Amino acid sequence: MRVIDAQIHLWARETSERSWPEYGRSYAHGQELLAEEAITRMDQAGVDAAILVPPSWEGDRNDVCLDAALRFPDRFAVMGRFPIEVVSERDRLETWREQAGMLGIRLTFHNRFQKAWLHDGTADWFWAAAERLRIPLMLFVPDSLVEIGRIAERFPDLKLVLDHLALFGRYDDQLMAKLGPTLALARFPNIAVKASCMPNLVSEEYPFPTLLAAIHSVVDVYGPDRTFWGSDVSRLECSWRECRTLFTEECHFLGSDDLEWIMGRGIQEWLRWT
């Protein structure tokens, strides 16, 4: 079984020549994480490959991640950032997947000004264009799932992945209730979920017993082919290996075929990573 992590960040430290946007500094998970260190840690954790998601604190840069995918194409591929609010950038979408190592686009709608783009018309042009060009999307959209359901219904050939199960916080005994809106979107076949950084959702220690019921529910409604394991390792509060073995060793209700899909095959096929 090939294990593919559906989300990790790589980034370089801020310098005067490579400054971060001011708002980004408060989000940063550390000074830097580059390809070589990530590969060392992947080997220790039993992770064969990873989808690279350039972090928001660097702005709309993809250079570090694309360089890693170019140098280590068997270990990395990229879901890049794209400035949907910048009209002059729209033509770049036409050749987006022609960039070596680029699989699609990851958008974040977790702060006030980005959430507004789902309502004020800023993002309206983008969904049809991405559908036409067959560009899969990863979306971090806590608290905006009604809008995502409307997009999925209007653009049925647009592939959408909900990052972190569309959750952000620590929920403990409220976790199953909080999962409800995410589970409801499983009725759209063009929506998948990233079961990523799940240990951060609870205050328990490994093997995170509360998470087992949540994972069971997610796989029940989305199926193993639309449930993608991931770590988001730079903010993960347990070890990378524990995040993996939570699925591969503790979820006894998952068969070997289920695990093959959840741990790598599903994300590889959904994003058309060959």
Side-chain angles (χ1 to χ4, degrees):
M1 179 177 69
R2 184 166 170 79
V3 176
I4 301 176
D5 194 321
Q7 175 170 326
I8 72 170
H9 297 305
L10 296 186
W11 71 98
R13 68 181 61 223
E14 184 180 24
T15 66
S16 57
E17 293 78 24
R18 198 174 182 282
S19 60
W20 296 350
E22 185 173 350
Y23 73 85
R25 297 185 185 101
S26 63
Y27 293 114
H29 296 171
Q31 285 193 332
E32 66 180 7
L33 178 60
L34 299 176
E36 289 79 5
E37 180 184 350
I39 288 172
T40 297
R41 294 175 63 185
M42 289 163 65
D43 291 344
Q44 294 169 347
V47 176
D48 299 303
I51 304 298
L52 303 181
V53 176
S56 58
W57 56 84
E58 281 204 315
D60 289 316
R61 285 195 179 98
N62 299 310
D63 56 330
V64 170
C65 290
L66 284 174
D67 175 70
L70 186 65
R71 291 188 293 123
F72 304 102
D74 59 330
R75 306 302 297 265
F76 299 125
V78 182
M79 292 291 286
R81 296 186 64 83
F82 183 86
I84 61 172
E85 77 281 13
V86 181
V87 174
S88 61
E89 294 288 303
R90 294 183 181 183
D91 288 346
R92 290 177 56 210
L93 208 62
E94 298 296 321
T95 57
W96 189 256
R97 276 187 60 113
E98 295 176 17
Q99 302 174 84
M102 187 69 84
L103 299 180
I105 290 172
R106 197 255 186 155
L107 301 175
T108 53
F109 297 99
H110 63 292
N111 59 42
R112 182 170 51 83
F113 71 88
Q114 290 172 330
K115 284 181 181 180
W117 296 345
L118 294 171
H119 306 280
D120 64 11
T122 299
D124 288 357
W125 71 275
F126 178 77
W127 315 115
E131 182 185 49
R132 172 176 59 83
L133 295 166
R134 298 181 66 209
I135 298 174
L137 307 179
M138 288 181 173
L139 307 174
F140 184 39
V141 284
D143 307 317
S144 299
L145 293 186
V146 171
E147 292 81 357
I148 299 307
R150 291 171 181 157
I151 292 165
E153 185 171 28
R154 186 177 176 189
F155 304 100
D157 293 324
L158 177 61
K159 287 195 167 184
L160 306 171
V161 180
L162 303 180
D163 291 354
H164 314 316
L165 299 171
L167 298 175
F168 189 68
R170 197 179 306 280
Y171 302 105
D172 291 322
D173 59 356
Q174 297 300 309
L175 178 57
M176 293 305 299
K178 291 291 185 179
L179 262 179
T182 300
L183 299 179
L185 290 183
R187 69 185 186 275
F188 297 108
N190 55 328
I191 292 182
V193 290
K194 201 188 289 179
S196 45
C197 208
M198 288 192 70
N200 284 25
L201 298 174
V202 295
S203 53
E204 301 166 333
E205 296 185 356
Y206 189 88
F208 317 110
T210 298
L211 294 181
L212 300 182
I215 294 168
H216 204 319
S217 294
V218 171
V219 176
D220 271 353
V221 297
Y222 279 95
D225 57 325
R226 289 193 290 149
T227 304
F228 311 140
W229 170 79
S231 71
D232 198 12
V233 67
S234 53
R235 72 177 178 94
L236 189 63
E237 295 177 5
C238 66
S239 74
W240 205 342
R241 177 171 288 275
E242 286 175 332
C243 187
R244 177 182 65 78
T245 60
L246 166 63
F247 281 75
T248 59
E249 297 180 14
E250 304 300 334
C251 292
H252 303 297
F253 49 87
L254 298 175
S256 58
D257 289 343
D258 298 332
L259 285 172
E260 181 183 358
W261 282 99
I262 293 167
M263 302 305 295
R265 182 180 175 185
I267 190 70
Q268 188 170 6
E269 294 198 7
W270 190 268
L271 302 181
R272 294 185 288 132
W273 184 13
T274 57

